[in-house]
Structure formats: structure tokens, C-alpha cells
Amino acid sequence: MGKCRLPCKNVSVRMSDAVERKVFAIMEFELWYLVLIPVLFAAGWWARGLEAREREENSRQLPEAYSRGVAMLMSDRPDKAIDPFIEVVRLDPELIELHHVLGILFRGRGEFERAIRLHNHLVNREDIPEADRVKALKELGEDYLTAGLFDRAEQTYRRLLENPSEHLDALRALLKIYCIEHEWTSAIDVARQLEVQGGEARSNEIAHYYCELAEGAVRAKDLALADDYIRKALDNQPESPRANITAGAVSAALGDGQRALELWQGVMKRTPQYLPLVLGRIADALVQAGKREEAVALLHQALADSASIDVMEEAVSRIAALEGNAEAQAAVLQLLAGHPSLSAFASLISLRQKENPGDEQTKLLSALLQRHSRRLARYQCSKCGFLASSFSWHCLGCGAWDSFPPRRIEDAKGR
Ligand SMILES: [Zn+2]
């Protein structure tokens, strides 16, 4: 480079400027580079420090929030546990078990949308164990069921059927849905699967499902179909009071009064506690068959033997129709002497009011007593305590069948 400087001065000056600019540029770059390294290093150190401080802060907050949530659960205030648990889950999304707890708490508080969102999120997470996804799917089904979204609940439990460990529980949940939705044919199909796959005794329930189908067919005036269903009910449970009572009703509608009478009399003999449900039917069938005296004798015998208010009401109205008002009043007075009750007194005043329709005071008194008597007419599920104003074969509270004794609470309390 030194040899060229004199003969090529202008060029060498231009070259020298360019080189110098380049050198300075390199020097500037190296200088910035040298400055940048410690700056970047410092920034990294600061960021690591920040992360560590955040981690430290989170780990300090996590047990604190977790403890608060647990304390709320222990003090029986689950709705107050939700906020601390949300905080814990935000700080550590890997706490899957706590997600499950939170979902159940949302559902318990009626926040179905949040519960469904949370469980859906877990079901779709690929990074959590299969067992947790299955658990979330089960909870999702429960969310839909509790929220009354039965179609979605059904779809969810159908997905759950594919998992062997949850298969039977999914079938039981589906059975519950079909009963709520009155899809009796599907209920029969699922109950049969539970019998075969789970070894569960379901024949009594299946008989009830066929009875429901038969009653629906009677309402639709398809008596041949009703007869087909009720025969299947009896095949499942030959001595079922309901199947026999319904079979009698179908036979009577088909014009076979004798078979109807035999079926109802069979119920009275085998299960006398169901007398309130068959007494009136038997008496009416006897009258239709020309056995009026037998009907009257049966009604008086039932009044003498049974302390049931329903039996009294069935018997008194028919005695009044068959033997006259005075005879019915005499029967009620006799009953009142042995078993005084508001319902029996209401029946007596009602009979007297019919005898003297123009007596305003008796009319008012009769209306008042009837109103109070109806208020007391309650039937109670023996399994869950659910109260119904009329007798039912199926409890809407707990879903049990045959759980209502055919006896009013007023009877059970000795009137
Ligand atoms: Zn119940």
C-alpha cells in the first residue's frame, strides 16, 4: 500500500478515505458490538431475574390461594372457594385435578356455561393424560344433564360408552335421560344392555316402560298396540301391580270385562295395599257384569277393613250412587266413629250438601273442608321424600319406580 501512495496520490487519497470510512465503520460496529454484548447480557440477566422473581411470587401466591380455597370448602362455603381456585389454576394450568374441582363447583353454583367451557377445554387438551380427558368427558355429560340440555348430554354419554371403564355408568346415565325424555323404547334397549352387560336386575323397570308405552297407545286410541305392549310388560313382571291394573284397563277398553275383573281382583288379593287403585274399577266392573249386590258388599267390606282415605272416597261415592245418599252418610258416620279425620268429615258434609243443595251454610262449609282436605292430600316417595299431590308410579325427584306407597301422608300419620 505504501508504494502506491505517491504516484497515485489522488487515487490513494480516495482509496484512503474509503478504507478509513470502512475501518471506522468496522470500528463503530465493533464498538457497538462490544457495548451491546454486556447490554444484552444485562438484559438477559434482568429477564431471568424477573422470571425467577415471578416464579417465586407465583409459588408464594399458589399455596396461599389454594389454602384459601380449601378453607372455604372445609367451612361448607363452596361458592367462596371458586375465586381462590381460579387464581391457582391461572398460576399453574397444569393442576388438572383442581380444574375438575372447579368445574364441579361451577356446576354446583348453577354456572353451567362456565362448567361446560372448562370441561370442554379439558376434553380437547392433548397434553393431559387420557384418564383426565375421560373424567372431564364424564363431568361434561353431568353438566349438560344438570343444565337440562338432554340432547347434548346424550351425545356426550354416547361418546363415553366407548371407554370400557365408564361404559356401565354411561349406560345408566343414558337410561336416566331416556326416562326424563319419556323415550321408553330407547330406555328398554339400554335397560336390557345393563341386564346383560352389568348383570343388573331391571325387569321391574322394563315392565314400567312397557306400561308407559301401553298407556300412550291407549291415549292414541291404538288398543291393539296397547295390548301388545302390556303383554310384554306382564312377560317381564307377571305380578306387577301396575302392569296388571293397566292390562285390566286395556282389556276393559277392548270389551273383555271378565278378564279386566280377574286382573284387578288378582291385584287386590296379591297386593292389598294397592286396593285404593283397584276398588272403584272392580266395583264398576261387577255392576256392569250384573253383580250389583257383590259390588255393594265389597265396598262396605273395604270401608270396614281399610283406614285409607282413598278407599273411603272410592267407596262412599259408589255407595251413594248404588244405595243412596242416606246409606252413604251412615257409612261415613260409622267410619268417623272409628277413625275421625278431616277428609271423612269433608265427605260427610259434601253428602249433606248434595242432600240440601239450597243450604248456603252447608255449601260454604263443604267447600272449605274440601279445600283443606285437598291441601292435605300428599303422597311421599319412600326413597327421597319427594311430595306429590297425586299417586305416581315414578318419582320425579329421584327417578325411582314403585317408591310411592299408595297411601296419603295423612293416612300414615294416623289421620
Ligand atoms: Zn324419590
Side-chain angles (χ1 to χ4, degrees):
M1 255 177 91
K3 286 180 183 175
C4 297
R5 197 174 282 172
L6 287 173
C8 316
K9 192 177 177 184
N10 291 337
V11 175
S12 81
V13 168
R14 280 199 300 275
M15 284 292 286
S16 173
D17 286 348
V19 170
E20 276 176 16
R21 276 198 299 275
K22 200 171 177 182
V23 168
F24 277 122
I26 289 166
M27 282 180 66
E28 275 173 19
F29 168 76
E30 284 176 347
L31 194 64
W32 277 112
Y33 182 74
L34 288 172
V35 171
L36 206 57
I37 286 173
V39 168
L40 287 172
F41 180 78
W45 175 84
W46 182 79
R48 277 200 305 279
L50 185 68
E51 231 174 70
R53 280 193 295 282
E54 272 185 357
R55 270 204 307 275
E56 191 182 331
E57 180 69 12
N58 286 353
S59 62
R60 194 178 61 77
Q61 286 176 7
L62 192 139
E64 189 185 311
Y66 187 81
S67 303
R68 265 190 294 131
V70 171
M72 289 300 156
L73 281 184
M74 298 293 285
S75 58
D76 210 17
R77 294 160 72 194
D79 54 328
K80 299 280 179 193
I82 288 179
D83 288 339
F85 283 158
I86 288 176
E87 181 70 5
V88 177
V89 167
R90 187 185 64 77
L91 296 171
D92 190 347
E94 299 307 311
L95 289 171
I96 304 302
E97 200 54 46
L98 204 56
H99 279 80
H100 288 306
V101 172
L102 205 48
I104 292 167
L105 290 174
F106 282 146
R107 189 170 67 228
R109 206 163 70 169
E111 294 186 46
F112 300 119
E113 203 181 321
R114 292 178 90 179
I116 288 166
R117 207 164 52 233
L118 188 144
H119 287 132
N120 246 327
H121 170 70
L122 289 180
V123 168
N124 293 319
R125 270 183 69 169
E126 296 288 335
D127 61 327
I128 63 173
E130 171 71 11
D132 280 317
R133 284 206 299 276
V134 170
K135 190 174 177 183
L137 191 63
K138 194 174 180 180
E139 293 298 336
L140 185 63
E142 188 69 31
D143 293 340
Y144 285 134
L145 191 59
T146 316
L149 301 168
F150 300 123
D151 285 352
R152 290 190 190 179
E154 184 188 351
Q155 286 168 14
T156 307
Y157 285 118
R158 289 234 163 252
R159 275 177 72 189
L160 202 63
L161 280 179
E162 293 161 18
N163 193 287
S165 66
E166 299 297 335
H167 184 79
L168 290 176
D169 275 348
L171 281 177
R172 290 183 196 112
L174 284 169
L175 186 59
K176 192 173 171 183
I177 292 168
Y178 294 139
C179 286
I180 293 170
E181 295 275 88
H182 290 194
E183 291 181 27
W184 305 115
T185 307
S186 299
I188 290 166
D189 178 46
V190 172
R192 293 244 186 261
Q193 289 184 55
L194 281 167
E195 279 187 326
V196 174
Q197 296 168 22
E200 298 180 6
R202 297 276 177 178
S203 64
N204 188 45
E205 284 169 54
I206 292 171
H208 276 292
Y209 305 152
Y210 277 121
C211 286
E212 293 284 348
L213 287 168
E215 287 169 7
V218 169
R219 284 193 295 275
K221 302 190 190 309
D222 190 342
L223 293 179
L225 184 63
D227 192 43
D228 184 43
Y229 283 139
I230 207 62
R231 283 176 194 279
K232 285 176 179 163
L234 286 169
D235 284 347
N236 271 279
Q237 203 72 10
E239 298 199 346
S240 153
R242 186 190 185 180
N244 280 276
I245 292 169
T246 311
V250 173
S251 295
L254 285 166
D256 191 348
Q258 184 55 37
R259 181 167 184 260
L261 190 57
E262 285 168 11
L263 286 162
W264 293 328
Q265 283 174 330
V267 173
M268 184 172 67
K269 282 178 192 154
R270 282 192 305 272
T271 46
Q273 68 271 30
Y274 285 98
L275 182 65
L277 302 182
V278 290
L279 178 65
R281 295 170 192 260
I282 294 172
D284 294 345
L286 285 170
V287 171
Q288 276 183 9
K291 298 175 180 174
R292 185 189 174 94
E293 295 305 314
E294 199 178 325
V296 170
L298 173 71
L299 293 168
H300 280 287
Q301 190 63 49
L303 267 182
D305 292 348
S306 174
S308 157
I309 293 166
D310 287 326
V311 164
M312 178 203 72
E313 289 184 348
E314 291 285 315
V316 167
S317 62
R318 283 172 176 82
I319 289 171
L322 294 169
E323 293 192 294
N325 196 308
E327 196 64 37
Q329 284 189 45
V332 178
L333 276 170
Q334 198 176 353
L335 186 76
L336 274 168
H339 303 282
S341 74
L342 183 67
S343 299
F345 191 62
S347 281
L348 180 68
I349 299 303
S350 174
L351 288 166
R352 288 195 175 162
Q353 194 267 321
K354 281 173 188 161
E355 202 175 49
N356 303 296
D359 185 343
E360 284 302 315
Q361 280 188 349
T362 313
K363 194 175 176 181
L364 281 172
L365 182 61
S366 176
L368 183 73
L369 287 169
Q370 291 291 340
R371 199 162 56 244
H372 280 284
S373 173
R374 272 199 297 275
R375 193 171 53 79
L376 289 172
R378 290 281 186 277
Y379 299 81
Q380 189 164 35
C381 172
S382 59
K383 295 210 169 160
C384 74
F386 186 85
L387 291 171
S389 57
S390 60
F391 172 78
S392 174
W393 297 103
H394 187 214
C395 177
L396 293 176
C398 66
W401 294 91
D402 292 323
S403 60
F404 283 95
R407 185 178 172 82
R408 295 187 194 182
I409 297 175
E410 196 184 355
D411 278 342
K413 288 177 181 170
R415 298 201 271 173

